[in-house]
Amino acid sequence: MNIGFVGLGIMGEPMCRNLLEKLGGTVYVYNRTKAKADELLARGAVWCASAREAAEHADVFLTMVPRTEDSRAVYESILPALDATKLCIDMSTIDPAASEAIAEMVKKTGAEFIDAPVVKSRPAAEAGTLGIYVGGSEAAYERALPVLRCMGQNILRLGGNGKGLVMKLCHNALVSQIQNGVNETASLAGAFGIDIPTYALAISYGGGQNAYLDTKKAPLAAEDYTTAFSIRNMHKDVHLCVGLAAQAGLPMPGEENAVRVYDAAMAADLGDEDFCATVKVVRGEAGA
């Protein structure tokens, strides 16, 4: 099986590396910045001059790009390379309605398309233990499973095209609200002399224990904001979520508060830091 992979950023590069190591066949890669492909090329991946060239070689074509417009542009560019032998998997987190439109565009060529956004951050991408939410036909999902299992352990089909993205936005919205709760209560505890390790231990004894705190207590205590998942990407996701809620006519005051925090973090030029750096906003340290 030959793979085409476009988008070798913080998540895409280790995801592609797992495909290269586990799946067999040839992996054809393209990225706007070629230097990000250097390690993969050293491991045997083949560089392509464009996304279309990668799609021409691929049986299964994957994308992991930052924004809705990036995904749309890639799939528009590869349409001449698609036919009924091809399966396209977009693992980006984008607007569900736009993804449905991309799916229809792709399927007119005879190719199949699924959305398969991921949860967890770079360490899980490196370990091949991502969670993956899939939207698409049952047949396309079954065809994609051997590929997806190289990158993730928990893979769930939610329904037709776009439904994987709906679930991903719900997941990230919940994380953003849990994160705000951690930021606020950890800061309050700190104001009374309780440090992050002690706070996290105490929380683990009760009903407040959560995966966000479990994974971020050490970086928060060390004030280490090395990026595993950026504020910029989460800022995009929380805005996509409130847009989805508006379509449904559903008020989400908790998520609207998360949006305010992320807007403030972006305004403070924190976009490229890890998303746990939103604690600076809650503490009034952003921009200081």
Side-chain angles (χ1 to χ4, degrees), residues 104-133:
E104 290 306 308
M105 177 175 66
V106 166
K107 288 193 283 190
K108 285 179 181 177
T109 71
E112 188 53 275
F113 179 94
I114 63 172
D115 52 284
V118 305
V119 291
K120 301 181 184 176
S121 57
R122 185 176 174 94
E126 292 173 340
T129 57
L130 293 166
I132 304 175
Y133 300 148

Side-chain angles (χ1 to χ4, degrees), residues 2-287:
N2 291 336
I3 298 293
F5 200 107
V6 172
L8 303 174
I10 288 175
M11 297 291 285
E13 189 275 334
M15 290 164 63
C16 188
R17 192 185 330 135
N18 273 300
L19 290 172
L20 189 62
E21 293 173 353
K22 299 175 183 177
L23 195 60
T26 303
V27 177
Y28 296 88
V29 298
Y30 172 73
N31 193 71
R32 284 183 293 191
T33 305
K34 186 178 179 181
K36 292 184 177 180
D38 285 349
E39 183 178 343
L40 294 169
L41 299 180
R43 292 170 179 256
V46 177
W47 175 255
C48 294
S50 66
R52 177 173 171 175
E53 183 183 343
E56 287 170 349
H57 290 292
D59 301 303
V60 180
F61 177 81
L62 298 96
T63 43
M64 186 62 171
V65 296
R67 301 169 301 174
T68 298
E69 52 265 41
D70 299 321
S71 185
R72 185 185 295 114
V74 168
Y75 284 97
E76 286 174 348
S77 77
I78 71 167
L79 288 176
L82 299 182
D83 57 36
T85 68
K86 311 274 187 179
L87 169 64
C88 297
I89 305 175
D90 189 9
M91 307 191 77
S92 318
T93 300
I94 65 171
D95 176 65
S99 183
E100 290 179 51
I102 292 169
E104 290 306 308
M105 177 175 66
V106 166
K107 288 193 283 190
K108 285 179 181 177
T109 71
E112 188 53 275
F113 179 94
I114 63 172
D115 52 284
V118 305
V119 291
K120 301 181 184 176
S121 57
R122 185 176 174 94
E126 292 173 340
T129 57
L130 293 166
I132 304 175
Y133 300 148
V134 178
S137 71
E138 183 70 33
Y141 171 68
E142 292 295 333
R143 183 179 172 190
L145 272 176
V147 177
L148 299 178
R149 284 176 177 147
C150 293
M151 299 175 284
Q153 286 185 335
N154 300 305
I155 304 166
L156 182 65
R157 177 176 175 262
L158 279 303
N161 290 119
K163 297 301 188 292
L165 284 161
V166 170
M167 188 64 239
K168 169 63 184 286
L169 295 178
C170 290
H171 173 278
N172 278 18
L174 179 57
V175 171
S176 71
Q177 293 181 52
I178 291 169
Q179 178 187 56
N180 271 348
V182 168
N183 286 344
E184 291 177 2
T185 56
S187 297
L188 180 61
F192 287 89
I194 300 172
D195 63 18
I196 292 286
T198 306
Y199 162 87
L201 178 63
I203 291 293
S204 76
Y205 291 172
Q209 185 172 16
N210 61 87
Y212 175 77
L213 179 57
D214 290 346
T215 57
K216 291 299 184 181
K217 60 189 176 186
L220 286 169
E223 298 184 1
D224 177 5
Y225 305 119
T226 303
T227 305
F229 180 62
S230 72
I231 281 176
R232 189 179 311 280
N233 279 330
M234 190 63 145
H235 176 260
K236 172 202 64 174
D237 293 354
V238 297
H239 274 275
L240 285 172
C241 182
V242 295
L244 199 63
Q247 291 176 38
L250 180 69
M252 292 186 70
E255 193 59 9
E256 289 165 5
N257 185 53
V259 166
R260 287 190 288 272
V261 171
Y262 274 92
D263 284 349
M266 292 296 291
D269 200 27
L270 301 179
D272 293 327
E273 295 193 19
D274 189 81
F275 78 133
C276 71
T278 51
V279 71
K280 296 180 187 180
V281 174
V282 172
R283 292 176 179 170
E285 299 169 354

